[in-house]
Amino acid sequence: MLNNIGLPGLLLIVVVALVLFGKGKISSVMGEVGSGLTAFKKGLREADLPEPTHGSVAPNLDTPSLTDKHSVETRT
């Protein structure tokens, strides 16, 4: 059904849309569609970035840990 529209059919659709909605309404709708697409692409780019993990911080080697045998005093 939509395979046979062609250039004259598209021009007719554009003219009818301009008559029904007016130039201002169509330009505002297209601006909203463009900003929506921009936000969608930004969201896709942010989804591709790796998320930081909680264990990615290097341990502080200056403070003794509880499992270190040399830092833990033994009571006798």
Side-chain angles (χ1 to χ4, degrees), residues 9 24-25 40 47 55 58:
K25 182 70 174 176
F40 179 74

Side-chain angles (χ1 to χ4, degrees), residues 45-61:
R45 273 187 265 128
E46 289 175 356
D48 289 342
L49 295 176
E51 294 184 18
T53 58
H54 296 291
S56 64
V57 178
N60 189 356
L61 299 177

Side-chain angles (χ1 to χ4, degrees), residues 2 4-21 26:
L2 295 177
N4 301 329
I5 289 180
L7 186 61
L10 289 176
L11 289 176
L12 180 65
I13 291 171
V14 169
V15 168
V16 169
L18 281 173
V19 169
L20 290 177
F21 299 111
I26 291 177

